[in-house]
Amino acid sequence: MASATRALLVALCVSPTGCQAPGNVIRIIDAVNPDGSIALADVVLTTLGDVAAVEGSVATFLGGAVISLDSAAPIADRGEARDDLVENAGTVRARFVVDDGVVVAADFDSLLMFSAYAHFERATLHLGGLGATLPASPVPVYFNPTLQNGPQLTFPKSDNAAFFAMTDAFVLLPMRILQEIPFAMNTGVVAHEVSHRVFYYVGWNGGLFAAIAAHQYDAGAQQSFNRVKATDEGVADFFAAAITADPAFLAKSTPGSISDARDLSVTRVLDPRFIAGLEPQQDGQYDPYGPGAVVAAALWRLAQDHGVDTVEAAVIDGLRALSSQLVQSFTYQFGDLEREVARALPAADCAAACALFAERYLPVAGAFTGVCP
Amino acid sequence: MIVATALFAVLQTSAPAPACGDLDLQVPVGLGLEGRADGDGFDAAAYLGLSAGLPLSVCLGVPLRLELSLATGTAGPPWGAGVDAVEVARQDGDLAALTGVAYVFVKEGDKGLGVEALAGPRLRLTRVRTRIYAQSESRYGATVRAAALVGPFATYKAWRVSLRPGASLPWDRRVQLWLGIGRSL
Ligand SMILES: [Zn+2]
């Protein structure tokens, strides 16, 4: 009760938030322990400007948005069609108390938003520090939006988090089925989504939709795109694990039936059936997570052997090196990114990386020609 | 200091209460709407209070009323809202010292009908309990706002019934509707 008494005394000087204005020390759900377990932690959010509006230089949270997923709607790169696809997005109003200088969320949604902002900030600053350049303006985060699915483009209405490239924005949906740590509170899941945005801006150079428009009728375009999507998923899981130091970050939020297949600590090799870019499938749709798990596990192994920071930087460099191939020819084979990663690694690490890739990517060994012996 | 001053004023005024008017005690129950954090709509809330009121019309000859109230409330289930792994619960405790006009415009024998408008400082002490799996913690915060209530009231012999919509300034994105049943002491 000492805390309550202090709060009472503080309130005796008149101010809407007591005498302590909300600062940037926020109590969030975070993966703070060496064993990766999740707990409450006080963090300093250096980029958060308006606490109640959950708005800062990294992200702006918006509520009540209605997002149209109609594939007939205009689509443009770098969020230029955002206003055509999103309606009603409004300012959020987090509820909080200020206890001994620490902002404490006073309801579940506010705790979700504060935690997610912290994770967005951490991932964005971390990846920016590796040279991943993102637009300077804060990215919109649509919190609990309504998704209007189109005939060809569907997305679950709950239990998901996503980077929507066509709006250049993130979406955080309510958790209705999964009852473990919500995605918005899972540092790794948010880092995974931020990585997708990095892939869009570095790998695609912010020009994915222009590239699709130019190449959608090319032979094999869909298969190439599927392989890129799988690699994008693998890279996203790799950065999530790197930022959390937890190769099983997804297990905090999903049952083993989902997370086990993406545990980065498991040795995985590329299945020859994946090479064509049509398999595996789930519910009649290409499932990028199977091949993606091979990519993630290989990068994670590499990071364990040669240093997480070194491999993270090499992946960003590899994406940048791959960019012109993706945008200009819209072609991609498994191993193309890993070849550029091996090239970007310090010379002393390259041979070991080649050996690892040769083992993990045996069906596409030719992809490493020119870099590996 | 506004709260302390107001409390002092009420306590001082209550000293000559028998000469001024009959102190009444009310048990207000309230329903409210509280703006959601995502800015999209409102959640229902429930409140319960206890208030002591002092009409000053007898001693001052003007239809003034002083009231000191305590109330508690919660939006959503008091044990918390969230998912199995993480829940957040919030309870508010309010202490308000209100003053204003309580004007009786119909008086027939034991029965009276009037309208009142009260305003004053309100101290809100909020307890937030956050649970992650089996671990939970409570944190506290306090705010002071100006509260305002306005609505009709009826009296019958020693009984008093009031219906009061209320809000506070700066607006905290909640509106309340209080039903108060009280009795003069
Ligand atoms: Zn993903």
Side-chain angles (χ1 to χ4, degrees):
Chain A
M1 285 304 288
S3 177
T5 308
R6 187 174 53 242
L8 185 68
L9 291 173
V10 160
L12 289 178
C13 66
V14 179
S15 156
T17 56
C19 280
Q20 301 178 71
N24 278 21
V25 183
I26 318 282
R27 196 145 178 82
I28 63 156
I29 301 273
D30 200 6
V32 288
N33 300 324
D35 63 358
S37 64
I38 285 190
L40 285 161
D42 296 339
V43 296
V44 179
L45 299 183
T46 56
T47 68
L48 185 62
D50 185 331
V51 174
V54 197
E55 192 178 288
S57 60
V58 159
T60 298
F61 278 60
L62 296 164
V66 179
I67 303 175
S68 167
L69 297 179
D70 183 355
S71 56
I75 294 179
D77 279 303
R78 297 171 182 260
E80 284 167 13
R82 188 184 292 148
D83 292 345
D84 297 318
L85 301 167
V86 183
E87 292 179 345
N88 295 340
T91 306
V92 300
R93 284 286 153 210
R95 281 193 188 281
F96 59 88
V97 299
V98 181
D99 185 351
D100 200 17
V102 177
V103 172
V104 179
D107 61 31
F108 182 67
D109 277 350
S110 301
L111 183 60
L112 279 170
M113 292 192 288
F114 288 155
S115 301
Y117 188 94
H119 304 329
F120 276 113
E121 179 182 280
R122 180 184 300 175
T124 303
L125 296 182
H126 179 83
L127 293 170
L130 294 169
T133 309
L134 293 171
S137 57
V139 62
V141 178
Y142 299 117
F143 184 76
N144 290 351
T146 302
L147 299 180
Q148 292 183 331
N149 285 334
Q152 293 172 343
L153 201 51
T154 61
F155 199 81
K157 307 236 170 188
S158 70
D159 299 272
N160 220 321
F163 169 61
F164 273 10
M166 56 190 195
T167 55
D168 188 23
F170 295 98
V171 165
L172 297 175
L173 297 175
M175 306 301 278
R176 299 209 172 102
I177 301 164
L178 299 173
Q179 293 291 304
E180 298 302 310
I181 300 297
F183 288 148
M185 292 176 176
N186 186 324
T187 320
V189 170
V190 173
H192 173 108
E193 301 310 332
V194 174
S195 170
H196 282 316
R197 190 164 187 244
V198 165
F199 200 108
Y200 172 80
Y201 274 103
V202 179
W204 290 104
N205 196 24
L208 168 63
F209 298 110
I212 290 176
H215 295 281
Q216 60 185 319
Y217 301 115
D218 291 1
Q222 183 64 56
Q223 289 93 318
S224 271
F225 187 53
N226 287 347
R227 288 185 287 260
V228 180
K229 277 197 294 184
T231 303
D232 189 355
E233 292 300 340
V235 168
D237 275 356
F238 166 68
F239 280 123
I243 287 168
T244 57
D246 180 6
F249 69 93
L250 199 54
K252 293 178 172 60
S253 300
T254 64
S257 56
I258 295 172
S259 60
D260 288 354
R262 288 169 61 182
D263 186 332
L264 283 79
S265 63
V266 174
T267 299
R268 302 179 193 278
V269 295
L270 190 68
D271 188 321
R273 289 172 298 177
F274 294 170
I275 299 170
L278 295 171
E279 287 190 64
Q281 295 210 355
Q282 191 167 20
D283 303 326
Q285 302 262 347
Y286 181 71
D287 174 15
Y289 296 105
V294 178
V295 174
L299 294 174
W300 183 249
R301 181 69 259 161
L302 202 58
Q304 301 313 294
D305 295 341
H306 303 285
V308 175
D309 295 349
T310 303
V311 176
E312 282 185 296
V315 172
I316 298 293
D317 289 347
L319 283 175
R320 195 174 291 111
L322 195 65
S323 177
S324 59
Q325 174 189 328
L326 289 179
V327 173
Q328 286 165 24
S329 72
F330 207 77
T331 59
Y332 187 81
Q333 302 297 327
F334 283 121
D336 282 353
L337 173 66
E338 291 80 348
R339 179 187 64 244
E340 300 306 326
V341 170
R343 199 196 305 272
L345 283 171
D349 298 328
C350 186
C354 287
L356 176 75
F357 291 148
E359 184 188 308
R360 302 286 179 101
Y361 295 84
L362 189 59
V364 291
F368 303 99
T369 307
V371 176
C372 296
Chain B
M1 285 305 292
I2 288 179
V3 170
T5 308
L7 288 177
F8 189 55
V10 169
L11 293 173
Q12 276 190 319
T13 320
S14 65
C20 240
D22 292 333
L23 190 72
D24 57 67
L25 277 182
Q26 291 192 72
V27 179
V29 291
L31 292 174
L33 290 174
E34 304 196 355
R36 289 196 191 119
D38 65 8
D40 189 18
F42 289 81
D43 285 323
Y47 316 99
L48 178 66
L50 179 68
S51 65
L54 183 67
L56 299 179
S57 50
V58 177
C59 60
L60 297 180
V62 288
L64 282 180
R65 178 179 173 82
L66 286 176
E67 197 167 298
L68 187 66
S69 69
L70 279 168
T72 185
T74 179
W79 57 88
V83 294
D84 289 352
V86 183
E87 275 183 344
V88 181
R90 186 187 85 230
Q91 291 93 38
D92 294 320
D94 289 357
L95 174 65
L98 306 175
T99 185
V101 177
Y103 180 70
V104 179
F105 56 83
V106 177
K107 181 78 179 168
E108 284 182 16
D110 292 339
K111 300 173 203 160
L113 197 61
V115 63
E116 58 194 350
L118 305 174
R122 186 210 62 203
L123 167 67
R124 169 163 294 159
L125 187 63
T126 299
R127 172 190 184 235
V128 176
R129 191 179 63 83
T130 309
R131 179 184 65 76
I132 306 179
Y133 295 111
Q135 291 190 322
S136 70
E137 66 164 33
S138 290
R139 303 292 289 257
Y140 298 88
T143 54
V144 175
R145 284 182 159 84
L149 297 164
V150 60
F153 68 93
T155 56
Y156 176 66
K157 294 185 177 172
W159 293 94
R160 189 179 203 278
V161 178
S162 63
L163 191 65
R164 299 160 157 181
S168 54
L169 218 76
W171 193 43
D172 54 3
R173 298 178 65 245
R174 80 180 87 192
V175 289
Q176 299 174 316
L177 180 64
W178 292 95
L179 173 67
I181 298 174
R183 190 181 158 83
S184 295
L185 299 178

